[in-house]
Amino acid sequence: MTDKVAAKALLRAERLAVRNQLPTSERIEKSLTIAETGLTTLEIEPGMVVSGFFPIRSEVDIRPLMADLKSRGAVLCLPVILDKTTIVFRELHADRPLVPLGFGTFGPGADCAELDPSLMLVPLAAFDRTGHRIGYGGGYYDRAIDRLHRKGLHPRLIGIAFDCQEVASVPAEPHDMRLHGILTESGLRRLNS
Ligand SMILES: Nc1nc2c(c(=O)[nH]1)N(C=O)[C@@H](CNc1ccc(C(=O)N[C@@H](CCC(=O)O)C(=O)O)cc1)CN2
Ligand SMILES: Nc1ncnc2c1ncn2[C@@H]1O[C@H](COP(=O)(O)OP(=O)(O)OP(=O)(O)O)[C@@H](O)[C@H]1O
């Protein structure tokens, strides 16, 4: 294991432990604040494809934000784990059942269209002020973003986290994609990446 991988693993475990300690009531309050802030700061055009996520473990619950973005015309999609290295994004339809997809995640089934988001709301385990991020360690988002770049697509990447998940510096590896913004309960930070 390289030094950077080990350092990231440590930061991931540390920030996830802090996130797990947030009382449920605080997580709900902060998630609602994040939804309100997101609605007023994220620029959405009707028809825009936006990837969100349904929360697992102690993640920010952005379902209220997703519902509001939909009412403003966004087409929503969710990540779907296909195998050990791949996620794709499938359209979320309110009237279709979600299926279990591994690691406690649920998402649209194979009957739902695969979409390329132009705005991605990216779940974080930890982040720093320059927009470097750490996820659960699967590299799923890094690869998915890389795949979109290879198709000539450059989605806007907005990290979603609680303030307590910020660290001084993420030891970035060459494959790590930087976020364009980070949305927490204290607001949307726009970054020059
Ligand atoms: N809500 C939500 N959905 C999501 C993600 C996410 O971060 N949040 N993902 C974002 O990528 C994908 C799922 N990625 C995940 C990757 C690893 C683990 C996980 O539990 N890993 C083990 C370690 C496994 C190992 O090291 O072999 C662990 O943390 O214990 C969970 C989810 C797709 N869907
Ligand atoms: N574009 C890529 N192509 C190939 N492998 C990659 C790519 N991006 C990441 N990986 C691999 O995935 C593994 C996990 O990467 P990393 O620790 O950055 O995950 P993470 O950012 O925490 O997870 P996630 O992206 O799922 O939120 C590493 O072994 C890394 O080499």
Side-chain angles (χ1 to χ4, degrees), residues 153-192:
L153 302 172
H154 290 85
R156 190 164 154 71
L157 309 173
I158 304 293
I160 307 284
F162 298 113
D163 285 332
C164 64
Q165 293 171 251
E166 181 165 355
V167 297
S169 174
V170 169
E173 297 176 89
H175 64 259
D176 283 324
M177 305 285 177
R178 267 173 67 185
L179 301 163
H180 301 112
I182 298 169
L183 180 60
T184 70
E185 68 271 27
S186 59
L188 174 67
R189 245 187 276 178
R190 293 169 208 271
L191 305 164
N192 305 314

mmCIF file of all heavy atoms in Angstrom, residues 153-192:
data_model
loop_
_atom_site.group_PDB
_atom_site.id
_atom_site.type_symbol
_atom_site.label_atom_id
_atom_site.label_comp_id
_atom_site.label_asym_id
_atom_site.label_seq_id
_atom_site.Cartn_x
_atom_site.Cartn_y
_atom_site.Cartn_z
ATOM 1 N N LEU A 153 -17.570 14.545 -22.315
ATOM 2 C CA LEU A 153 -18.549 15.175 -21.419
ATOM 3 C C LEU A 153 -17.842 15.640 -20.139
ATOM 4 O O LEU A 153 -16.972 14.939 -19.617
ATOM 5 C CB LEU A 153 -19.663 14.176 -21.075
ATOM 6 C CG LEU A 153 -20.412 13.608 -22.290
ATOM 7 C CD1 LEU A 153 -21.359 12.486 -21.870
ATOM 8 C CD2 LEU A 153 -21.177 14.719 -23.014
ATOM 9 N N HIS A 154 -18.207 16.803 -19.662
ATOM 10 C CA HIS A 154 -17.562 17.363 -18.468
ATOM 11 C C HIS A 154 -18.607 17.826 -17.457
ATOM 12 O O HIS A 154 -18.911 19.008 -17.355
ATOM 13 C CB HIS A 154 -16.611 18.502 -18.864
ATOM 14 C CG HIS A 154 -15.418 17.994 -19.586
ATOM 15 N ND1 HIS A 154 -15.419 17.758 -20.951
ATOM 16 C CD2 HIS A 154 -14.207 17.582 -19.133
ATOM 17 C CE1 HIS A 154 -14.250 17.253 -21.301
ATOM 18 N NE2 HIS A 154 -13.494 17.137 -20.223
ATOM 19 N N PRO A 155 -19.178 16.844 -16.724
ATOM 20 C CA PRO A 155 -20.224 17.192 -15.760
ATOM 21 C C PRO A 155 -19.695 18.109 -14.659
ATOM 22 O O PRO A 155 -18.514 18.043 -14.308
ATOM 23 C CB PRO A 155 -20.633 15.832 -15.172
ATOM 24 C CG PRO A 155 -19.463 14.943 -15.407
ATOM 25 C CD PRO A 155 -18.835 15.416 -16.677
ATOM 26 N N ARG A 156 -20.601 18.956 -14.162
ATOM 27 C CA ARG A 156 -20.256 19.779 -13.002
ATOM 28 C C ARG A 156 -20.322 18.883 -11.769
ATOM 29 O O ARG A 156 -21.322 18.170 -11.560
ATOM 30 C CB ARG A 156 -21.272 20.921 -12.926
ATOM 31 C CG ARG A 156 -20.937 21.990 -11.960
ATOM 32 C CD ARG A 156 -21.782 23.231 -12.252
ATOM 33 N NE ARG A 156 -21.973 24.037 -11.068
ATOM 34 C CZ ARG A 156 -21.008 24.760 -10.496
ATOM 35 N NH1 ARG A 156 -19.808 24.801 -11.027
ATOM 36 N NH2 ARG A 156 -21.243 25.458 -9.409
ATOM 37 N N LEU A 157 -19.271 18.902 -10.969
ATOM 38 C CA LEU A 157 -19.149 17.984 -9.832
ATOM 39 C C LEU A 157 -19.324 18.744 -8.524
ATOM 40 O O LEU A 157 -18.484 19.574 -8.164
ATOM 41 C CB LEU A 157 -17.768 17.312 -9.844
ATOM 42 C CG LEU A 157 -17.323 16.654 -11.157
ATOM 43 C CD1 LEU A 157 -15.872 16.178 -11.048
ATOM 44 C CD2 LEU A 157 -18.254 15.501 -11.517
ATOM 45 N N ILE A 158 -20.407 18.455 -7.831
ATOM 46 C CA ILE A 158 -20.671 19.116 -6.546
ATOM 47 C C ILE A 158 -20.640 18.053 -5.446
ATOM 48 O O ILE A 158 -21.476 17.147 -5.430
ATOM 49 C CB ILE A 158 -22.049 19.833 -6.559
ATOM 50 C CG1 ILE A 158 -22.145 20.837 -7.714
ATOM 51 C CG2 ILE A 158 -22.306 20.505 -5.214
ATOM 52 C CD1 ILE A 158 -21.218 22.041 -7.615
ATOM 53 N N GLY A 159 -19.662 18.167 -4.556
ATOM 54 C CA GLY A 159 -19.556 17.226 -3.439
ATOM 55 C C GLY A 159 -20.597 17.554 -2.380
ATOM 56 O O GLY A 159 -20.925 18.726 -2.162
ATOM 57 N N ILE A 160 -21.108 16.510 -1.752
ATOM 58 C CA ILE A 160 -22.138 16.679 -0.714
ATOM 59 C C ILE A 160 -21.629 16.059 0.580
ATOM 60 O O ILE A 160 -21.278 14.867 0.616
ATOM 61 C CB ILE A 160 -23.445 15.958 -1.114
ATOM 62 C CG1 ILE A 160 -23.937 16.387 -2.504
ATOM 63 C CG2 ILE A 160 -24.508 16.144 -0.037
ATOM 64 C CD1 ILE A 160 -24.596 17.730 -2.593
ATOM 65 N N ALA A 161 -21.581 16.881 1.632
ATOM 66 C CA ALA A 161 -21.088 16.377 2.915
ATOM 67 C C ALA A 161 -21.536 17.293 4.038
ATOM 68 O O ALA A 161 -22.071 18.382 3.793
ATOM 69 C CB ALA A 161 -19.558 16.327 2.896
ATOM 70 N N PHE A 162 -21.304 16.844 5.256
ATOM 71 C CA PHE A 162 -21.464 17.721 6.413
ATOM 72 C C PHE A 162 -20.126 18.434 6.641
ATOM 73 O O PHE A 162 -19.054 17.913 6.261
ATOM 74 C CB PHE A 162 -21.829 16.902 7.656
ATOM 75 C CG PHE A 162 -23.138 16.162 7.542
ATOM 76 C CD1 PHE A 162 -23.169 14.769 7.502
ATOM 77 C CD2 PHE A 162 -24.343 16.864 7.470
ATOM 78 C CE1 PHE A 162 -24.378 14.082 7.396
ATOM 79 C CE2 PHE A 162 -25.558 16.180 7.367
ATOM 80 C CZ PHE A 162 -25.577 14.795 7.330
ATOM 81 N N ASP A 163 -20.175 19.623 7.269
ATOM 82 C CA ASP A 163 -18.939 20.373 7.555
ATOM 83 C C ASP A 163 -17.904 19.515 8.295
ATOM 84 O O ASP A 163 -16.707 19.652 8.073
ATOM 85 C CB ASP A 163 -19.256 21.601 8.436
ATOM 86 C CG ASP A 163 -19.916 22.719 7.640
ATOM 87 O OD1 ASP A 163 -19.666 22.802 6.419
ATOM 88 O OD2 ASP A 163 -20.683 23.488 8.241
ATOM 89 N N CYS A 164 -18.366 18.634 9.192
ATOM 90 C CA CYS A 164 -17.441 17.848 10.022
ATOM 91 C C CYS A 164 -16.625 16.843 9.208
ATOM 92 O O CYS A 164 -15.741 16.178 9.755
ATOM 93 C CB CYS A 164 -18.198 17.131 11.144
ATOM 94 S SG CYS A 164 -19.373 15.901 10.551
ATOM 95 N N GLN A 165 -16.893 16.746 7.913
ATOM 96 C CA GLN A 165 -16.134 15.814 7.076
ATOM 97 C C GLN A 165 -14.928 16.492 6.396
ATOM 98 O O GLN A 165 -14.175 15.838 5.679
ATOM 99 C CB GLN A 165 -17.049 15.173 6.020
ATOM 100 C CG GLN A 165 -18.090 14.254 6.646
ATOM 101 C CD GLN A 165 -19.131 13.792 5.647
ATOM 102 O OE1 GLN A 165 -20.283 14.192 5.678
ATOM 103 N NE2 GLN A 165 -18.710 12.952 4.723
ATOM 104 N N GLU A 166 -14.739 17.787 6.665
ATOM 105 C CA GLU A 166 -13.599 18.488 6.055
ATOM 106 C C GLU A 166 -12.294 18.115 6.760
ATOM 107 O O GLU A 166 -12.260 17.969 7.982
ATOM 108 C CB GLU A 166 -13.812 20.009 6.150
ATOM 109 C CG GLU A 166 -12.666 20.774 5.501
ATOM 110 C CD GLU A 166 -12.981 22.247 5.246
ATOM 111 O OE1 GLU A 166 -14.131 22.675 5.478
ATOM 112 O OE2 GLU A 166 -12.052 22.946 4.804
ATOM 113 N N VAL A 167 -11.236 17.939 5.956
ATOM 114 C CA VAL A 167 -9.902 17.684 6.502
ATOM 115 C C VAL A 167 -8.951 18.741 5.940
ATOM 116 O O VAL A 167 -9.268 19.418 4.960
ATOM 117 C CB VAL A 167 -9.385 16.258 6.161
ATOM 118 C CG1 VAL A 167 -10.269 15.205 6.792
ATOM 119 C CG2 VAL A 167 -9.290 16.051 4.653
ATOM 120 N N ALA A 168 -7.781 18.886 6.560
ATOM 121 C CA ALA A 168 -6.841 19.936 6.134
ATOM 122 C C ALA A 168 -6.386 19.703 4.703
ATOM 123 O O ALA A 168 -6.343 20.624 3.887
ATOM 124 C CB ALA A 168 -5.653 19.979 7.094
ATOM 125 N N SER A 169 -6.063 18.457 4.387
ATOM 126 C CA SER A 169 -5.575 18.188 3.033
ATOM 127 C C SER A 169 -5.739 16.712 2.685
ATOM 128 O O SER A 169 -5.338 15.839 3.451
ATOM 129 C CB SER A 169 -4.087 18.581 2.974
ATOM 130 O OG SER A 169 -3.564 18.209 1.737
ATOM 131 N N VAL A 170 -6.339 16.456 1.518
ATOM 132 C CA VAL A 170 -6.468 15.078 1.032
ATOM 133 C C VAL A 170 -5.232 14.771 0.188
ATOM 134 O O VAL A 170 -4.921 15.520 -0.736
ATOM 135 C CB VAL A 170 -7.739 14.922 0.154
ATOM 136 C CG1 VAL A 170 -7.741 13.592 -0.578
ATOM 137 C CG2 VAL A 170 -8.999 15.066 1.001
ATOM 138 N N PRO A 171 -4.500 13.708 0.523
ATOM 139 C CA PRO A 171 -3.333 13.354 -0.304
ATOM 140 C C PRO A 171 -3.809 12.790 -1.648
ATOM 141 O O PRO A 171 -4.155 11.624 -1.743
ATOM 142 C CB PRO A 171 -2.608 12.294 0.533
ATOM 143 C CG PRO A 171 -3.590 11.820 1.543
ATOM 144 C CD PRO A 171 -4.741 12.767 1.612
ATOM 145 N N ALA A 172 -3.852 13.664 -2.651
ATOM 146 C CA ALA A 172 -4.476 13.274 -3.918
ATOM 147 C C ALA A 172 -3.573 12.373 -4.751
ATOM 148 O O ALA A 172 -2.360 12.563 -4.803
ATOM 149 C CB ALA A 172 -4.831 14.519 -4.706
ATOM 150 N N GLU A 173 -4.203 11.387 -5.387
ATOM 151 C CA GLU A 173 -3.506 10.516 -6.337
ATOM 152 C C GLU A 173 -3.833 11.017 -7.748
ATOM 153 O O GLU A 173 -4.786 11.776 -7.937
ATOM 154 C CB GLU A 173 -3.999 9.082 -6.163
ATOM 155 C CG GLU A 173 -3.695 8.494 -4.789
ATOM 156 C CD GLU A 173 -4.284 7.107 -4.651
ATOM 157 O OE1 GLU A 173 -3.575 6.151 -5.006
ATOM 158 O OE2 GLU A 173 -5.432 6.979 -4.207
ATOM 159 N N PRO A 174 -3.032 10.587 -8.759
ATOM 160 C CA PRO A 174 -3.234 11.118 -10.114
ATOM 161 C C PRO A 174 -4.662 10.928 -10.650
ATOM 162 O O PRO A 174 -5.152 11.772 -11.392
ATOM 163 C CB PRO A 174 -2.237 10.319 -10.954
ATOM 164 C CG PRO A 174 -1.193 9.864 -9.994
ATOM 165 C CD PRO A 174 -1.872 9.688 -8.681
ATOM 166 N N HIS A 175 -5.345 9.819 -10.258
ATOM 167 C CA HIS A 175 -6.681 9.570 -10.809
ATOM 168 C C HIS A 175 -7.771 10.414 -10.148
ATOM 169 O O HIS A 175 -8.904 10.435 -10.615
ATOM 170 C CB HIS A 175 -7.042 8.080 -10.683
ATOM 171 C CG HIS A 175 -7.140 7.626 -9.253
ATOM 172 N ND1 HIS A 175 -6.130 6.931 -8.640
ATOM 173 C CD2 HIS A 175 -8.104 7.798 -8.312
ATOM 174 C CE1 HIS A 175 -6.490 6.687 -7.382
ATOM 175 N NE2 HIS A 175 -7.674 7.205 -7.166
ATOM 176 N N ASP A 176 -7.439 11.056 -9.027
ATOM 177 C CA ASP A 176 -8.485 11.750 -8.270
ATOM 178 C C ASP A 176 -8.993 12.989 -9.003
ATOM 179 O O ASP A 176 -8.218 13.836 -9.414
ATOM 180 C CB ASP A 176 -7.966 12.152 -6.878
ATOM 181 C CG ASP A 176 -7.928 10.970 -5.927
ATOM 182 O OD1 ASP A 176 -8.839 10.124 -6.014
ATOM 183 O OD2 ASP A 176 -6.996 10.890 -5.112
ATOM 184 N N MET A 177 -10.315 13.074 -9.147
ATOM 185 C CA MET A 177 -10.961 14.209 -9.819
ATOM 186 C C MET A 177 -11.266 15.278 -8.776
ATOM 187 O O MET A 177 -11.735 14.955 -7.678
ATOM 188 C CB MET A 177 -12.289 13.757 -10.437
ATOM 189 C CG MET A 177 -12.165 12.592 -11.373
ATOM 190 S SD MET A 177 -11.459 13.127 -12.919
ATOM 191 C CE MET A 177 -11.337 11.564 -13.786
ATOM 192 N N ARG A 178 -11.046 16.533 -9.134
ATOM 193 C CA ARG A 178 -11.394 17.603 -8.194
ATOM 194 C C ARG A 178 -12.825 18.079 -8.408
ATOM 195 O O ARG A 178 -13.331 18.118 -9.519
ATOM 196 C CB ARG A 178 -10.422 18.768 -8.361
ATOM 197 C CG ARG A 178 -9.257 18.638 -7.397
ATOM 198 C CD ARG A 178 -8.219 19.669 -7.656
ATOM 199 N NE ARG A 178 -8.712 21.016 -7.355
ATOM 200 C CZ ARG A 178 -8.011 22.108 -7.590
ATOM 201 N NH1 ARG A 178 -6.825 22.027 -8.161
ATOM 202 N NH2 ARG A 178 -8.487 23.290 -7.276
ATOM 203 N N LEU A 179 -13.429 18.424 -7.291
ATOM 204 C CA LEU A 179 -14.808 18.910 -7.329
ATOM 205 C C LEU A 179 -14.844 20.368 -7.767
ATOM 206 O O LEU A 179 -13.895 21.117 -7.541
ATOM 207 C CB LEU A 179 -15.421 18.795 -5.926
ATOM 208 C CG LEU A 179 -15.446 17.377 -5.334
ATOM 209 C CD1 LEU A 179 -15.675 17.434 -3.816
ATOM 210 C CD2 LEU A 179 -16.534 16.555 -6.017
ATOM 211 N N HIS A 180 -15.976 20.775 -8.381
ATOM 212 C CA HIS A 180 -16.160 22.185 -8.755
ATOM 213 C C HIS A 180 -16.819 22.978 -7.628
ATOM 214 O O HIS A 180 -16.813 24.200 -7.631
ATOM 215 C CB HIS A 180 -17.028 22.287 -10.013
ATOM 216 C CG HIS A 180 -16.442 21.571 -11.183
ATOM 217 N ND1 HIS A 180 -16.995 20.439 -11.731
ATOM 218 C CD2 HIS A 180 -15.323 21.812 -11.881
ATOM 219 C CE1 HIS A 180 -16.236 20.015 -12.726
ATOM 220 N NE2 HIS A 180 -15.217 20.824 -12.840
ATOM 221 N N GLY A 181 -17.392 22.257 -6.707
ATOM 222 C CA GLY A 181 -18.037 22.919 -5.577
ATOM 223 C C GLY A 181 -18.313 21.905 -4.484
ATOM 224 O O GLY A 181 -18.306 20.698 -4.730
ATOM 225 N N ILE A 182 -18.506 22.420 -3.277
ATOM 226 C CA ILE A 182 -18.846 21.533 -2.149
ATOM 227 C C ILE A 182 -20.028 22.140 -1.417
ATOM 228 O O ILE A 182 -19.990 23.311 -1.012
ATOM 229 C CB ILE A 182 -17.645 21.383 -1.184
ATOM 230 C CG1 ILE A 182 -16.453 20.751 -1.913
ATOM 231 C CG2 ILE A 182 -18.038 20.531 0.024
ATOM 232 C CD1 ILE A 182 -15.158 20.811 -1.147
ATOM 233 N N LEU A 183 -21.074 21.346 -1.290
ATOM 234 C CA LEU A 183 -22.289 21.808 -0.616
ATOM 235 C C LEU A 183 -22.377 21.143 0.752
ATOM 236 O O LEU A 183 -22.409 19.909 0.852
ATOM 237 C CB LEU A 183 -23.512 21.439 -1.480
ATOM 238 C CG LEU A 183 -24.890 21.828 -0.967
ATOM 239 C CD1 LEU A 183 -25.033 23.336 -0.785
ATOM 240 C CD2 LEU A 183 -25.966 21.303 -1.928
ATOM 241 N N THR A 184 -22.363 21.979 1.793
ATOM 242 C CA THR A 184 -22.544 21.477 3.173
ATOM 243 C C THR A 184 -23.620 22.350 3.820
ATOM 244 O O THR A 184 -24.147 23.266 3.191
ATOM 245 C CB THR A 184 -21.247 21.603 4.010
ATOM 246 O OG1 THR A 184 -21.011 22.999 4.270
ATOM 247 C CG2 THR A 184 -20.052 20.986 3.325
ATOM 248 N N GLU A 185 -23.864 22.093 5.115
ATOM 249 C CA GLU A 185 -24.891 22.881 5.805
ATOM 250 C C GLU A 185 -24.489 24.349 5.938
ATOM 251 O O GLU A 185 -25.328 25.194 6.251
ATOM 252 C CB GLU A 185 -25.224 22.266 7.180
ATOM 253 C CG GLU A 185 -24.131 22.338 8.233
ATOM 254 C CD GLU A 185 -23.197 21.133 8.200
ATOM 255 O OE1 GLU A 185 -23.042 20.519 7.128
ATOM 256 O OE2 GLU A 185 -22.625 20.817 9.263
ATOM 257 N N SER A 186 -23.203 24.684 5.717
ATOM 258 C CA SER A 186 -22.840 26.108 5.809
ATOM 259 C C SER A 186 -22.834 26.793 4.451
ATOM 260 O O SER A 186 -22.489 27.967 4.358
ATOM 261 C CB SER A 186 -21.507 26.288 6.539
ATOM 262 O OG SER A 186 -20.503 25.605 5.867
ATOM 263 N N GLY A 187 -23.214 26.091 3.405
ATOM 264 C CA GLY A 187 -23.370 26.752 2.107
ATOM 265 C C GLY A 187 -22.686 26.017 0.973
ATOM 266 O O GLY A 187 -22.119 24.943 1.162
ATOM 267 N N LEU A 188 -22.780 26.631 -0.219
ATOM 268 C CA LEU A 188 -22.099 26.071 -1.397
ATOM 269 C C LEU A 188 -20.787 26.808 -1.573
ATOM 270 O O LEU A 188 -20.768 28.025 -1.736
ATOM 271 C CB LEU A 188 -22.962 26.253 -2.656
ATOM 272 C CG LEU A 188 -22.297 25.837 -3.969
ATOM 273 C CD1 LEU A 188 -22.052 24.323 -4.027
ATOM 274 C CD2 LEU A 188 -23.132 26.273 -5.172
ATOM 275 N N ARG A 189 -19.690 26.075 -1.504
ATOM 276 C CA ARG A 189 -18.374 26.659 -1.770
ATOM 277 C C ARG A 189 -18.039 26.404 -3.222
ATOM 278 O O ARG A 189 -17.990 25.242 -3.644
ATOM 279 C CB ARG A 189 -17.341 25.952 -0.894
ATOM 280 C CG ARG A 189 -16.723 26.890 0.120
ATOM 281 C CD ARG A 189 -15.614 26.224 0.830
ATOM 282 N NE ARG A 189 -16.108 25.431 1.947
ATOM 283 C CZ ARG A 189 -15.297 24.714 2.711
ATOM 284 N NH1 ARG A 189 -14.001 24.663 2.451
ATOM 285 N NH2 ARG A 189 -15.787 24.020 3.719
ATOM 286 N N ARG A 190 -17.852 27.449 -4.007
ATOM 287 C CA ARG A 190 -17.462 27.263 -5.409
ATOM 288 C C ARG A 190 -15.943 27.256 -5.478
ATOM 289 O O ARG A 190 -15.282 28.072 -4.845
ATOM 290 C CB ARG A 190 -18.013 28.405 -6.265
ATOM 291 C CG ARG A 190 -19.527 28.396 -6.361
ATOM 292 C CD ARG A 190 -20.022 29.688 -6.979
ATOM 293 N NE ARG A 190 -21.356 30.022 -6.512
ATOM 294 C CZ ARG A 190 -22.480 29.611 -7.083
ATOM 295 N NH1 ARG A 190 -22.430 28.878 -8.169
ATOM 296 N NH2 ARG A 190 -23.649 29.944 -6.587
ATOM 297 N N LEU A 191 -15.398 26.309 -6.241
ATOM 298 C CA LEU A 191 -13.936 26.169 -6.300
ATOM 299 C C LEU A 191 -13.462 26.420 -7.729
ATOM 300 O O LEU A 191 -14.196 26.157 -8.684
ATOM 301 C CB LEU A 191 -13.535 24.757 -5.861
ATOM 302 C CG LEU A 191 -14.068 24.343 -4.485
ATOM 303 C CD1 LEU A 191 -13.975 22.853 -4.285
ATOM 304 C CD2 LEU A 191 -13.309 25.077 -3.390
ATOM 305 N N ASN A 192 -12.245 26.924 -7.851
ATOM 306 C CA ASN A 192 -11.712 27.191 -9.194
ATOM 307 C C ASN A 192 -10.985 25.964 -9.717
ATOM 308 O O ASN A 192 -9.758 25.973 -9.812
ATOM 309 C CB ASN A 192 -10.729 28.354 -9.169
ATOM 310 C CG ASN A 192 -11.365 29.570 -8.564
ATOM 311 O OD1 ASN A 192 -12.493 29.907 -8.901
ATOM 312 N ND2 ASN A 192 -10.652 30.210 -7.658
#
